[in-house]
Amino acid sequence: RIDLNVRIQCTECQSTRDKVEILRHLPVEVGKEDQRPYSLQQCLDNSFACESIECNCPNCSCRTATKISTVLRTSKAFLMNFKRQIAHSSLPIRKSKAQIALDNTTIDLAPYDSSSNSLPLCFKLHGIVKHFGETTDSGHYTAECVSRDDSWMAYSDGCVGRTSPPTGANSEVYLAVFLSENDGEEARFDDTADDMAESPPDAPDQAKILAVTDNVESLSSSSSSSTGTKDDDDEADAVFTPDQADSSSSTEDDDDD
């Protein structure tokens, strides 16, 4: 599980509104099929990049805003879902064959952290789920994960055997499981989702949100020529009004597959 703070800021009067989103897994961008493979960290950079959206500001007549998401809290196990569904008018939904580079299997959430803590947020890849098929409606799933003796095991229906750690570019990886490398840093994490549900996330550090915005924008601008832009259609009907759910409302992300 991962808790995000989502901030919407009017482009005209600069007024802001925050809300908390509680996700079972973090959906990340995979880029386009004809682009160079994204690294795991680049997937995160593009997913946390500042977006331009359409919405109504209650303080002025402006109908545009920016949206930035930052990390408030995570569990020790972190699940990443690669957004491979390609929306179009006809069914079934086609699956993107964009490649993900798995050479560097460590990710760092610190560049997107807005909590009041200052602890490292490093995670190591411990498992992947692959989907083989042309559409999201059918196909075959396999899994690979680290065993107790730190070797990698492969699972495909009833077949189980040792395998090499994932490397290189891969167009079938659909889910990735990460475990925290922050041994002894118990204050930053909760052991179970139930424990997290009982206590609300810490309030975001305002200075850190600004720092995350500047950092992610600089990362995005440096790679914009090769990574493209995010699809903002899902935000077209957003309404920026104070009488919506309060700033600490929680929503869960459903699995699209």
Side-chain angles (χ1 to χ4, degrees), residues 24-90:
R24 298 291 183 184
H25 54 80
L26 180 65
V28 296
E29 304 292 336
V30 297
K32 297 181 179 180
E33 295 176 318
D34 57 351
Q35 292 177 340
R36 295 174 56 186
Y38 277 2
S39 68
L40 294 172
Q41 197 69 45
Q42 284 177 315
C43 290
L44 290 170
D45 288 341
N46 284 275
S47 297
F48 282 100
C50 186
E51 304 178 56
S52 295
I53 63 174
E54 293 183 7
C55 62
N56 296 323
C57 177
N59 299 321
C60 65
S61 58
C62 182
R63 290 182 53 84
T64 60
T66 58
K67 173 184 170 184
I68 183 74
S69 298
T70 53
V71 177
L72 285 176
R73 189 169 62 175
T74 68
S75 58
K76 290 183 178 180
F78 170 68
L79 181 62
M80 186 184 294
N81 176 23
F82 299 98
K83 297 169 66 175
R84 293 195 175 278
Q85 296 85 355
I86 300 178
H88 52 82
S89 56
S90 61

Side-chain angles (χ1 to χ4, degrees), residues 200-213:
D202 298 331
D205 186 301
Q206 304 302 318
K208 279 195 171 185
I209 290 181
L210 296 177
V212 169
T213 303

Side-chain angles (χ1 to χ4, degrees), residues 1 28 32 52 58 70 118 126-127 133 135 138 145-146 158 161 166-167 175 180 211 218 232 252 255:
R1 169 182 154 172
V28 296
K32 297 181 179 180
S52 295
T70 53
S118 300
H126 272 248
T135 72
S138 63
C145 69
V146 178
T167 58
L175 295 172
S180 169
S218 63
D232 301 325
E252 292 192 355
D255 193 341

Side-chain angles (χ1 to χ4, degrees), residues 6 17 21 31-32 36 48 55 80 96 100 119 132 150 152 169 191 205 224 237 246 256:
V6 180
R17 174 174 176 264
E21 289 187 351
K32 297 181 179 180
R36 295 174 56 186
F48 282 100
C55 62
M80 186 184 294
S96 169
I100 305 299
L119 300 176
F132 297 88
D150 290 331
W152 278 79
D191 289 330
D205 186 301
S224 59
D237 297 327
D246 59 31
D256 294 328

Side-chain angles (χ1 to χ4, degrees), residues 71-73 110 113-121 185-189 202-205 208:
V71 177
L72 285 176
R73 189 169 62 175
D113 178 32
S114 64
S115 70
S116 58
N117 298 284
S118 300
L119 300 176
L121 291 171
E185 303 288 3
E186 299 297 335
R188 185 64 177 87
F189 302 97
D202 298 331
D205 186 301
K208 279 195 171 185

Side-chain angles (χ1 to χ4, degrees), residues 48-247:
F48 282 100
C50 186
E51 304 178 56
S52 295
I53 63 174
E54 293 183 7
C55 62
N56 296 323
C57 177
N59 299 321
C60 65
S61 58
C62 182
R63 290 182 53 84
T64 60
T66 58
K67 173 184 170 184
I68 183 74
S69 298
T70 53
V71 177
L72 285 176
R73 189 169 62 175
T74 68
S75 58
K76 290 183 178 180
F78 170 68
L79 181 62
M80 186 184 294
N81 176 23
F82 299 98
K83 297 169 66 175
R84 293 195 175 278
Q85 296 85 355
I86 300 178
H88 52 82
S89 56
S90 61
L91 295 176
I93 298 176
R94 191 171 70 85
K95 188 185 78 173
S96 169
K97 291 290 188 179
Q99 294 188 329
I100 305 299
L102 299 176
D103 298 295
N104 186 354
T105 56
T106 300
I107 60 172
D108 185 8
L109 294 183
Y112 329 109
D113 178 32
S114 64
S115 70
S116 58
N117 298 284
S118 300
L119 300 176
L121 291 171
C122 295
F123 290 79
K124 183 75 172 179
L125 182 68
H126 272 248
I128 58 175
V129 174
K130 296 179 180 179
H131 175 266
F132 297 88
E134 297 298 321
T135 72
T136 60
D137 292 343
S138 63
H140 179 63
Y141 288 91
T142 65
E144 300 172 16
C145 69
V146 178
S147 63
R148 292 183 178 180
D149 62 0
D150 290 331
S151 63
W152 278 79
M153 301 293 293
Y155 303 84
S156 178
D157 293 336
C159 299
V160 179
R162 295 188 182 275
T163 188
S164 302
T167 58
N170 191 289
S171 61
E172 282 80 36
V173 60
Y174 176 63
L175 295 172
V177 180
F178 297 85
L179 294 183
S180 169
E181 292 191 314
N182 305 323
D183 293 336
E185 303 288 3
E186 299 297 335
R188 185 64 177 87
F189 302 97
D190 290 274
D191 289 330
T192 66
D194 291 338
D195 292 338
M196 294 181 70
E198 292 175 359
S199 59
D202 298 331
D205 186 301
Q206 304 302 318
K208 279 195 171 185
I209 290 181
L210 296 177
V212 169
T213 303
D214 294 338
N215 181 49
V216 174
E217 284 182 344
S218 63
L219 291 171
S220 300
S221 61
S222 64
S223 59
S224 59
S225 60
S226 61
T227 59
T229 58
K230 296 178 65 178
D231 189 354
D232 301 325
D233 291 342
D234 292 339
E235 302 295 340
D237 297 327
V239 179
F240 182 48
T241 57
D243 56 352
Q244 289 181 325
D246 59 31
S247 61

